[in-house]
Amino acid sequence: ETGVTQSPTHLIKTRGQQVTLRCSSQSGHNTVSWYQQALGQGPQFIFQYYREEENGRGNFPPRFSGLQFPNYSSELNVNALELDDSALYLCASRGPDLAKNIQYFGAGTRLSVL
Amino acid sequence: AQSVSQHNHHVILSEAASLELGCNYSYGGTVNLFWYVQYPGQHLQLLLKYFSGDPLVKGIKGFEAEFIKSKFSFNLRKPSVQWSDTAEYFCAVNSGSQGNLIFGKGTKLSVKP
């Protein structure tokens, strides 16, 4: 168990819709990152939040956005869904000790866009 | 830009065989290196990590990896695999200044009983 939980586990949407994925991190883990894992690929970094502010972003368009809340939960929002957004979305959290720099992953939300 | 290459897409071994999965990264500065494992239907789990010091690191479940700086490599090894090692293995890197991980495409390991 990593202490990181994600919901829902599976989701089916149609092209053009909007989706919100949720993540709950361990208490004290004030850094959360989101990754997209397409079929047959490794996870790709979407963005990172630290103390409720985005402080790093990968090569994803602005229709991918996020929020982090004081209670160690966070959201990934995707607008105007495209077929290529179908993937496993992973949330990962880190504690305050950056020297350890270990990310703990949730089991993911599998999003299918039809 | 940083990148990670994993040489093998799918490896099939019999139980008790030895395992070595290749990983190379491209980045000129200080890096942290990781191997994660993803069992079917489960979350990514950290196998081992290298930050500094002894380049031979030991992880959970009998896995080890060796950091060879001159070759930009961080290969994963296990002397004798078990059927329960069937999973997908990901090599990942981040730099000291950035928290996000750069992953390779993964290697699927199938162990025949």
Side-chain angles (χ1 to χ4, degrees):
Chain A
E1 279 301 321
T2 63
V4 180
T5 56
Q6 292 186 243
S7 63
T9 53
H10 294 87
L11 202 50
I12 299 174
K13 291 285 189 179
T14 55
R15 196 170 47 182
Q17 284 189 311
Q18 178 267 342
V19 69
T20 298
L21 310 182
R22 294 181 172 83
C23 173
S24 177
S25 307
Q26 290 187 36
S27 178
H29 280 201
N30 48 21
T31 301
V32 66
S33 303
W34 286 89
Y35 294 81
Q36 180 195 66
Q37 186 177 9
L39 202 62
Q41 302 291 320
Q44 286 197 37
F45 173 66
I46 303 174
F47 47 58
Q48 175 175 284
Y49 276 77
Y50 173 68
R51 291 187 175 178
E52 301 161 51
E53 301 245 349
E54 184 181 303
N55 75 338
R57 191 174 185 93
N59 190 25
F60 280 81
R63 60 188 184 85
F64 286 78
S65 63
L67 287 171
Q68 186 186 25
F69 303 101
N71 65 351
Y72 305 107
S73 66
S74 59
E75 291 179 356
L76 164 65
N77 298 290
V78 188
N79 293 322
L81 283 167
E82 301 177 0
L83 297 179
D84 285 349
D85 296 334
S86 295
L88 180 68
Y89 288 86
L90 299 169
C91 166
S93 71
R94 273 193 297 154
D97 186 353
L98 295 182
K100 293 191 175 179
N101 213 355
I102 296 171
Q103 299 199 25
Y104 297 90
F105 285 84
T109 293
R110 185 161 299 283
L111 172 65
S112 298
V113 182
L114 306 178
Chain B
Q2 295 179 39
S3 66
V4 176
S5 297
Q6 292 185 240
H7 312 305
N8 310 100
H9 179 62
H10 191 185
V11 172
I12 302 172
L13 295 173
S14 297
E15 274 194 317
S18 64
L19 170 72
E20 180 159 3
L21 301 182
C23 172
N24 286 91
Y25 66 93
S26 67
Y27 184 70
T30 303
V31 292
N32 303 312
L33 296 155
F34 306 81
W35 275 97
Y36 280 86
V37 60
Q38 191 172 35
Y39 297 103
Q42 296 190 25
H43 60 82
L44 277 167
Q45 181 179 357
L46 182 66
L47 268 182
L48 47 78
K49 62 190 184 297
Y50 173 79
F51 291 163
S52 63
D54 188 344
L56 184 62
V57 293
K58 295 191 184 299
I60 60 171
K61 306 187 180 187
F63 286 90
E64 65 178 32
E66 184 175 12
F67 170 53
I68 303 179
K69 189 174 181 179
S70 60
K71 295 184 178 180
F72 297 90
S73 70
F74 190 56
N75 292 353
L76 180 71
R77 300 195 291 247
K78 186 171 184 178
S80 175
V81 295
Q82 301 173 311
W83 177 79
S84 58
D85 293 324
T86 294
E88 191 150 18
Y89 293 80
F90 293 93
C91 181
V93 62
N94 67 7
S95 69
S97 61
Q98 293 178 331
N100 60 285
L101 292 166
I102 308 296
F103 284 88
K105 291 188 175 182
T107 297
K108 184 177 178 181
L109 172 65
S110 299
V111 180
K112 298 183 293 185

